[in-house]
Amino acid sequence: MSGHEETDTPVIGHAASFAPGASVPWHTHDRGQLALTLARVMRVETPQRVWLVPRGSVLWLPAGTPHRSLAPEERSMRSLFVRDDGAGALPDSPSAVEQGTPLADMVTWLAETYDRERLDRAWTTVAGAALALVRPAPGVSVRLPRPGDPAVARIADAVSADPSDERSLEEWGDILAISPRTLRRRVQAETGLTYRDWRRYLALTVAAEKLLTGERVTDVAFEAGYATSSAFVAAFHKAFQVTPGQFQRLAGS
């Protein structure tokens, strides 16, 4: 899946729209992708990390990076696809891009005005300037490796669909016909985390997405299975180093 029509130019602009709830399955690009979302939030998964990309934010994915994306609402994306010889000093790993620059506006203009048959000097100059503005930033993300083990992946899908799902390792063992000890080893091997910590991170990632869509902290806390808002705030801060309220403000929700 390329998402664009290949040419010999170092940078390609591309605009795309997706229906509410539409997902883009796992794929890679031969070029690096500088991706901008115009929806309130987009979730982008790489094998080792989940990125929550708020509206107006830009994410850099180097060429060959496996990834998939999902947005809960109708969304538009504006992207620049950059050939390796045009990537210059861009990061060699997926990175959020520093905000507070004109980069988002530039990516939008470049994607919407791209015409492979008529690339003028102004377009090329702006494309070069946009790439020069790319600076890595911490971004909104959590290290949450995607399980390759089918049993562990099934648990991940269940918790992602319902963060309040608090079935124990023993209960999952009965459902999957796997001993709890074996399942515990598989979770640890796949994620580097204990089952309890991994399940908590999964639930908090879903909660973070809901916060970015504008839901109230108290409502999100309840949906995530927390009995009190204070317990949710403490867990969220431990995972993301900011409180839910600070998180919403940083993302401009």
Side-chain angles (χ1 to χ4, degrees), residues 97-119:
V97 175
E98 183 177 314
Q99 294 179 289
T101 70
L103 183 61
D105 289 338
M106 295 167 79
V107 171
T108 300
W109 182 82
L110 290 164
E112 293 177 352
T113 60
Y114 175 78
D115 183 341
R116 60 176 296 182
E117 303 299 332
R118 294 193 300 274
L119 284 185

Side-chain angles (χ1 to χ4, degrees), residues 56-72:
S57 294
V58 180
L59 181 67
W60 165 249
L61 298 168
T65 302
H67 61 285
R68 67 176 180 178
S69 65
L70 172 69

